[in-house]
Amino acid sequence: MRKNIVAGNWKMNKTLPESVSLVKEIISLLNKENSLQAEVIVAPTYVSLYEVNKLLKGSKIKLSAQNSASEHSGAYTGEISAEMIKAVGCDYVILGHSERRAYYGERDAILTRKVEFALKNELEVIFCIGERLLEREKGEHFKVVEGQLKNTVFNLSENEFSNIIIAYEPIWAIGTGVTASSEQAQEMHAFIRKLITENYNTDVADNTTILYGGSCKPSNAVELFKNPDVDGGLIGGAALKAEDFVAIIKSF
Ligand code: PEP
C-alpha cells in the first residue's frame, strides 16, 4: 500500500548507548505531535536492533535493518539472515544501497537473492536505486535506473512487488550536501512510476511508495515531499540528529 514514509538510515554510526539515546530523543519529540502524516522508520546497526526494538514498543516508529544476507543460514561468517532480522523485530530491510553496491560489490544477482529471502521472511524491502554523477552528465540516468529495476525487483510477481518500497537515491547526492532539485526528483519518480505501470499495471504503480534519498534535510524536505510522486525520504546524515529527523518527518 502506498504511504508516506520517512526512514532514517543510521549507517555505521552510533554505539549501542548512543543508539538508545537517539531513539529515546526521537520518541519523545514525536510524542509531542498529535498526528503524523508519514510512517517513521529507523535503521540502526545490527548490534542495536534488539535494544532499539524494545524501546520502540508502543511508539509510532517501525524498525528496519540496513542489510541482510543472500543465503538462508549456515557457514557464512559475519552475515545476518533475513530470518534473524525479522525475529529481532524488524518490519523492513534496506537492500541495494549504493554503498553496499560500491564497497561490497553487491550486484543485481546477489540483490535478487537478498530480496527473495527478505520477502520469504515477511520483511518489506526498501530497495535503493540511483545513478552516478557521470551517468547523469551523459544523460544515461533513466537507462541506469531502468536497468537496476528490470534486473531485480521487476522479476517479482505482482503480489511480491507489493512489499517493495523504491528509494531513488542519486549517488551524487548521497552524503555530499548536493540535493537533487525538486524537479529532478519528481521527473525521476514519475519515470519510475511509469516503468512500474509498464511492467505491472497502473494499480500496482499507484500503490508503490517511492522515496527520495540524497542530502535530504529540514531545509529542503518540504520542497521535495510536495511532489506528487515523491512519497517521502530515506535520510542518512540528517537522521542522526533527533531534531533534524523529526523536522523532516513534519515536512509533510
Ligand atoms: C543514504 O545514504 O541513504 C542517504 C540518503 O544519505 P544522506 O542523507 O546523508 O545523503
Side-chain angles (χ1 to χ4, degrees), residues 41-104:
I41 301 173
V42 291
T45 63
Y46 286 138
V47 291
S48 297
L49 288 174
Y50 180 75
E51 287 301 325
V52 168
N53 184 51
K54 286 203 278 185
L55 294 167
L56 293 186
K57 293 240 156 68
S59 83
K60 300 160 185 158
I61 308 173
K62 300 271 169 83
L63 190 63
S64 176
Q66 298 175 19
N67 182 28
S68 60
S70 57
E71 303 295 335
H72 174 61
S73 65
Y76 300 100
T77 304
E79 285 296 277
I80 307 282
S81 72
E83 185 182 31
M84 293 166 187
I85 283 162
K86 183 70 184 182
V88 84
C90 290
D91 289 314
Y92 295 92
V93 61
I94 299 169
L95 293 175
H97 192 282
S98 61
E99 288 152 15
R100 300 289 322 167
R101 293 177 192 256
Y103 308 143
Y104 304 96

Side-chain angles (χ1 to χ4, degrees), residues 209-223:
T209 303
I210 309 177
L211 307 180
Y212 168 79
S215 299
C216 183
K217 40 192 180 250
S219 58
N220 57 29
V222 173
E223 269 298 299

Side-chain angles (χ1 to χ4, degrees), residues 38-249:
E39 182 169 302
V40 180
I41 301 173
V42 291
T45 63
Y46 286 138
V47 291
S48 297
L49 288 174
Y50 180 75
E51 287 301 325
V52 168
N53 184 51
K54 286 203 278 185
L55 294 167
L56 293 186
K57 293 240 156 68
S59 83
K60 300 160 185 158
I61 308 173
K62 300 271 169 83
L63 190 63
S64 176
Q66 298 175 19
N67 182 28
S68 60
S70 57
E71 303 295 335
H72 174 61
S73 65
Y76 300 100
T77 304
E79 285 296 277
I80 307 282
S81 72
E83 185 182 31
M84 293 166 187
I85 283 162
K86 183 70 184 182
V88 84
C90 290
D91 289 314
Y92 295 92
V93 61
I94 299 169
L95 293 175
H97 192 282
S98 61
E99 288 152 15
R100 300 289 322 167
R101 293 177 192 256
Y103 308 143
Y104 304 96
E106 293 191 2
R107 305 267 177 271
D108 294 339
I110 288 287
L111 292 173
T112 300
R113 280 180 68 78
K114 289 189 174 209
V115 168
E116 189 187 313
F117 283 111
L119 296 182
K120 265 192 199 144
N121 286 283
E122 292 173 4
L123 290 162
E124 283 190 61
V125 175
I126 301 173
F127 191 75
C128 306
I129 53 174
E131 80 284 358
R132 296 188 182 86
L133 182 58
L134 196 64
E135 291 163 337
R136 180 162 279 265
E137 284 170 350
K138 285 196 204 153
E140 292 172 354
H141 43 298
F142 294 117
K143 198 178 74 189
V144 169
V145 161
E146 185 169 356
Q148 288 171 333
L149 291 168
K150 286 207 161 142
N151 296 333
T152 57
V153 290
F154 273 8
N155 296 314
L156 297 170
S157 70
E158 196 176 310
N159 190 37
E160 289 167 330
F161 190 79
S162 66
N163 294 302
I164 304 291
I165 290 155
I166 303 291
Y168 168 59
E169 301 205 300
I171 297 170
W172 46 272
I174 297 183
T176 57
V178 180
T179 320
S181 68
S182 178
E183 294 73 24
Q184 284 171 323
Q186 169 56 25
E187 184 186 36
M188 183 58 90
H189 283 229
F191 175 72
I192 293 167
R193 215 176 288 286
K194 180 175 81 70
L195 292 177
I196 300 171
T197 305
E198 286 164 7
N199 200 64
Y200 295 99
N201 54 57
T202 320
D203 223 39
V204 174
D206 287 346
N207 277 303
T208 303
T209 303
I210 309 177
L211 307 180
Y212 168 79
S215 299
C216 183
K217 40 192 180 250
S219 58
N220 57 29
V222 173
E223 269 298 299
L224 288 161
F225 296 172
K226 73 172 193 208
N227 286 304
D229 289 297
V230 178
D231 303 313
L234 179 57
I235 319 297
L240 298 172
K241 270 176 125 188
E243 298 80 19
D244 286 357
F245 187 54
V246 171
I248 294 173
I249 296 163

